[in-house]
Amino acid sequence: MVGALLVIILLSIVSAIKDVPPLFKTKEWKTLVVYFAVLILGISLTGARAFQVQVPNPLDFVQLLSKPLTDWFMSFLK
């Protein structure tokens, strides 16, 4: 478990070393913020899975948000 997490972190660092310098040179600050946000989210979720923590399915949240809207549209089609 810990070994898998270390491998993921190591691969993330290698990826960041390759991807980040060009973004700094072109001063793409917003892209850097999004890049690191997604990277941290990915590392966190992978770490949670490596330690067998139950991670909720993101589609459940999307379905929770879209269900009332879908029901509203379906009421017009009946």
Side-chain angles (χ1 to χ4, degrees):
M1 287 190 293
V2 176
L5 184 59
L6 289 176
V7 168
I8 295 299
I9 291 172
L10 181 65
L11 289 174
S12 299
I13 290 171
V14 169
S15 174
I17 288 171
K18 179 187 170 285
D19 294 336
V20 170
L23 295 174
F24 267 118
K25 286 181 184 176
T26 57
K27 297 182 181 178
E28 296 186 38
W29 307 119
K30 292 178 185 176
T31 306
L32 277 168
V33 169
V34 171
Y35 179 84
F36 281 114
V38 171
L39 185 67
I40 290 169
L41 179 66
I43 292 171
S44 301
L45 290 175
T46 304
R49 294 284 300 199
F51 288 105
Q52 299 176 349
V53 174
Q54 179 123 7
V55 178
N57 186 352
L59 283 178
D60 293 341
F61 180 70
V62 171
Q63 186 178 16
L64 178 74
L65 292 178
S66 66
K67 180 90 169 103
L69 187 60
T70 303
D71 291 343
W72 183 69
F73 280 126
M74 292 303 286
S75 70
F76 287 114
L77 296 176
K78 290 184 179 180

